[in-house]
Amino acid sequence: MLTVEGLRSRYGRIEVLHGLDLEVASGEIVTVVGANGAGKTTLLKCLSGIQPVTAGSIVFRGEALTTVPAHARLQRGIAQSPEGRQIFTNLSVEDNLRLGAYLFRDQLVERDMQDAFAMFPILKQKRNLAAGGLSGGQQQMLAIARALMGRPSCLLLDEPSMGLAPLLVTQIFEVVKGLKSLGVTVLLVEQNAFGALSIADRGYVMETGRITMAGPAAELIADERIRAAYLGL
Ligand SMILES: Nc1ncnc2c1ncn2[C@@H]1O[C@H](COP(=O)(O)OP(=O)(O)O)[C@@H](O)[C@H]1O
Ligand SMILES: [Mg+2]
């Protein structure tokens, strides 16, 4: 579904992605794990089109995306739930969801909203309240639900577990795992390597702008080097 080859990106004169190769097949949950500063967010921004690529290719469903602008990538089925959630705190929960559906003017938006509420009943309860009043975990649910309102076939998730209490971390990873049954393909980037690898089919380890390991998630979790460096085991 998504093939990235030789991807390079820079901020000014400083290159931070040094030629990444990765692949996501339809229906998979793929995770990229790595420490703070490894370049995970930059990678997702390159994929969603808000960060310039200096070399390499991004092919989505057979089409080269490198020169396709961000809004057109959403039309093609790629949605992002950004790092730090980036919800509109002054707007209601429902209006945040509507913004995720800005591409659509059809009645299916209402259906999608009901689907989102079925998935996250707490958001239904709080639909008319300002999103800024939600807890961290609820805001993360809203960020995921808002991205889903764009009807993506491929969802990019940037550190959904960041800053959440352990119980909520588990809950959010369960939600991400559940996206599979909705037919949504997921590319998840996380510092929480254990949580992410526990729900993923395959994983990549990223270190300072390079992929250093790749494989089935179960194999990565069992790897001694990864256990020592990322899992604290
Ligand atoms: N807007 C920016 N301007 C300059 N450097 C940046 C910017 N954003 C990130 N960086 C740098 O790029 C590198 C990768 O950052 P990032 O993609 O945010 O990593 P991660 O998401 O894995 O923590 C880091 O060294 C970071 O300091
Ligand atoms: Mg990041």
Side-chain angles (χ1 to χ4, degrees), residues 9-151:
S9 187
R10 55 176 65 235
Y11 295 104
R13 292 160 63 181
I14 316 255
E15 186 179 81
V16 299
L17 300 183
H18 310 297
L20 299 185
D21 298 329
L22 69 95
E23 224 165 11
V24 181
S26 181
E28 277 190 309
I29 299 179
V30 173
T31 187
V32 175
V33 298
N36 187 25
K40 305 180 299 299
T41 294
T42 305
L43 165 65
L44 289 196
K45 286 180 170 176
C46 288
L47 298 179
S48 60
I50 54 178
Q51 164 72 16
V53 163
T54 48
S57 68
I58 301 168
V59 175
F60 183 66
R61 299 182 136 175
E63 181 192 14
L65 282 192
T66 324
T67 58
V68 174
H71 69 272
R73 296 190 197 193
L74 180 58
Q75 280 164 345
R76 283 164 176 72
I78 300 179
Q80 181 170 10
S81 170
E83 183 173 278
R85 330 196 208 297
Q86 312 280 345
I87 59 162
F88 299 96
T89 51
N90 294 325
L91 297 183
S92 70
V93 166
E94 194 168 316
D95 285 344
N96 270 274
L97 291 174
R98 280 187 204 291
L99 281 170
Y102 79 94
L103 284 178
F104 310 119
R105 289 288 171 272
D106 53 46
Q107 301 87 331
L108 296 181
V109 173
E110 289 310 314
R111 178 208 63 183
D112 291 346
M113 181 114 42
Q114 293 313 316
D115 287 349
F117 288 150
M119 194 176 208
F120 303 110
I122 189 70
L123 297 183
K124 185 172 190 179
Q125 269 179 45
K126 303 201 168 183
R127 62 194 294 170
N128 296 318
L129 302 182
L134 299 179
S135 71
Q138 292 162 0
Q139 289 189 8
Q140 185 58 59
M141 291 173 195
L142 179 57
I144 294 173
R146 181 183 58 186
L148 290 174
M149 291 296 288
R151 299 176 199 160

